[in-house]
Amino acid sequence: MSSPSGDREKVVSKIPVALQLDLKIRAAQHGIDIQHAVEAGIEAWLGLGSNLAPIDTSGAKSFSTFLPPGQWDRFRGDCASRGVSIIQGLAQSVQMWLETNPAPTVVRPEHPKRVVVCNQKGGVGKTAITAGTGEALAEDSNQLHPVRISKHFAAALSEDDTDSPLDYEDLPGLGLRVLLVDFDPQCHLTKQLGQDPLPLEGDSLTKHMAGESKGQLRDLIVPIEDPRFGDRLHLLPACTDAFLLDVKLSGVRAREAALERALSAVEDEYDAILIDCPPSLGLSMDAAAYYGRRRPGEAPGNSGVLVVVQAEDSSADAYGLLTSQIEDLRNDMHLELDYLGIVVNHYDARRGYIATSSLESWMDIKDPRVVGVIGDLKEQKEAVRVKQPLLAYSPRCDQSVGMRALAREIS
């Protein structure tokens, strides 16, 4: 059956559920509507000189789409003349389109994206943003994941004073190879992801930066195991010896490049490296900022500093101190150090005027601009309690979809 709808007509039939899912994912991967994919598949099927091998259509479920006027009638006539059922012909058409439009490969960046997540104020949620953004970058590109900007961010960006959230959009994962670096001696990132801090008597990132390493840095890296990340999400755990890092760096030659020297051994294995910085303005922060600088031939905005703040006054004070240090580094060392943006974390409009007016103040900063607003919701706290990645623990919660939006803003 069919019914008119604009310049296309609605058609209803059946195809196997697995084929429907493959079609939905593949169309999203190629950035086209399902109706255009089906249209192309039917047109290719109509042009065949002979019948294809039958497809198992047992358990086929209802499927509807919109096709150009007349195409469905031609298709049904061709099915009848070939002795093929409409369900079988449609399944073959969809399968033809899938075979001639394979899943695109993930584009690997020429330079690994280096994201320095920082703020010298503790408690703003740098660790949660580092983990969530890295998880979103690493999600399976052959699966669809819900993405949208949180309603608070949407309302703040909108010229209309609306509180309605944007609709979810199911998009393929970004499929990048990601390394999360726990650069904080408190080891929060390490513990939140269910890993143990490195032992004091063993090797560590601090020892590699200080020239005291005992082995290969890659031997310290551990995978974050979950099917949605495949083998694409890894962690370099922290060690409490990082409390001594500033002291050790004071005696290291070209100390600002110490982090880069340490990570250079593994850089080629990753598409994105995220540094969870300590709440500090010391030498370790200098090394992290230097690592995030724009390298020769690297596009502006590929790497840089991602500043995490909260919608309250003390975050603004800390932000001023951090940006002053970054400007000093830029000037003293002639660095091209880009801001990737500001993330307003733990936002809750129910906290009233202080929260809403503070968010407006952050939004008024146009350079760097706000690239994400993440709500203060229970799922993140629960994920930390059970030591699981947020996007694996609650993949459809508001914080998860916000993390995916943030990852796309900076990728």
Side-chain angles (χ1 to χ4, degrees), residues 192-208:
Q192 286 185 19
L193 292 175
Q195 304 296 323
D196 294 325
L198 297 171
L200 271 172
E201 65 276 8
D203 210 355
S204 67
L205 177 58
T206 296
K207 291 184 175 67
H208 279 264

Side-chain angles (χ1 to χ4, degrees), residues 122-348:
V124 297
K126 295 185 294 294
T127 297
I129 297 300
T130 303
T133 306
E135 291 161 23
L137 290 170
E139 281 187 310
D140 192 348
S141 61
N142 290 312
Q143 298 292 330
L144 298 181
H145 312 277
V147 181
R148 71 171 172 83
I149 302 173
S150 72
K151 69 177 182 179
H152 305 299
F153 192 24
L157 289 175
S158 175
E159 294 179 359
D160 302 323
D161 188 16
T162 176
D163 288 328
S164 61
L166 296 179
D167 291 337
Y168 285 95
E169 183 176 8
D170 286 332
L171 296 175
L174 296 172
L176 299 182
R177 302 166 300 183
V178 177
L179 175 64
L180 304 174
V181 178
D182 193 346
F183 199 43
D184 188 342
Q186 298 174 92
C187 309
H188 290 319
L189 179 61
T190 301
K191 295 173 183 176
Q192 286 185 19
L193 292 175
Q195 304 296 323
D196 294 325
L198 297 171
L200 271 172
E201 65 276 8
D203 210 355
S204 67
L205 177 58
T206 296
K207 291 184 175 67
H208 279 264
M209 292 177 65
E212 303 169 355
S213 58
K214 302 177 180 179
Q216 299 294 318
L217 186 75
R218 64 172 42 84
D219 294 337
L220 304 178
I221 295 173
V222 295
I224 304 302
E225 296 178 351
D226 188 274
R228 72 178 46 245
F229 310 126
D231 189 32
R232 293 178 300 276
L233 184 63
H234 294 173
L235 169 72
L236 177 54
C239 178
T240 54
D241 68 356
F243 279 114
L244 303 174
L245 182 57
D246 278 9
V247 174
K248 288 180 176 291
L249 286 181
S250 64
V252 173
R253 183 178 179 183
R255 58 187 179 232
E256 70 281 353
L259 181 59
E260 181 166 309
R261 287 195 299 269
L263 293 178
S264 62
V266 298
E267 264 191 9
D268 290 345
E269 301 170 22
Y270 297 98
D271 303 312
I273 300 174
L274 286 76
I275 313 296
D276 183 27
C277 292
S280 166
L281 291 176
L283 298 179
S284 57
M285 185 59 215
D286 287 353
Y290 183 86
Y291 183 64
R293 80 196 187 286
R294 193 191 317 163
R295 295 175 179 174
E298 186 174 10
N302 182 67
S303 299
V305 172
L306 185 65
V307 184
V308 182
V309 300
Q310 287 181 293
E312 40 79 34
D313 293 339
S314 62
S315 271
D317 297 336
Y319 173 78
L321 292 171
L322 176 65
T323 53
S324 294
Q325 182 185 16
I326 289 174
E327 290 308 310
D328 288 343
L329 283 169
R330 278 174 158 176
N331 296 327
D332 295 345
M333 303 178 64
H334 307 289
L335 299 183
E336 290 185 303
L337 181 56
D338 298 326
Y339 286 99
L340 298 179
I342 297 171
V343 181
V344 182
N345 194 28
H346 296 161
Y347 180 71
D348 187 348

Side-chain angles (χ1 to χ4, degrees), residues 357-373:
S357 62
S358 181
L359 176 60
E360 289 175 2
S361 297
W362 290 119
M363 298 298 296
D364 287 340
I365 301 175
K366 303 304 182 185
D367 184 21
R369 66 186 179 90
V370 171
V371 292
V373 177

Side-chain angles (χ1 to χ4, degrees), residues 96-142:
M96 278 189 67
W97 185 83
L98 290 170
E99 291 175 354
T100 54
N101 292 270
T105 57
V106 174
V107 178
R108 304 297 177 194
E110 181 179 355
H111 297 271
K113 173 180 287 293
R114 301 172 313 286
V115 182
V116 179
V117 185
C118 58
N119 192 332
Q120 67 92 27
K121 182 180 184 299
V124 297
K126 295 185 294 294
T127 297
I129 297 300
T130 303
T133 306
E135 291 161 23
L137 290 170
E139 281 187 310
D140 192 348
S141 61
N142 290 312

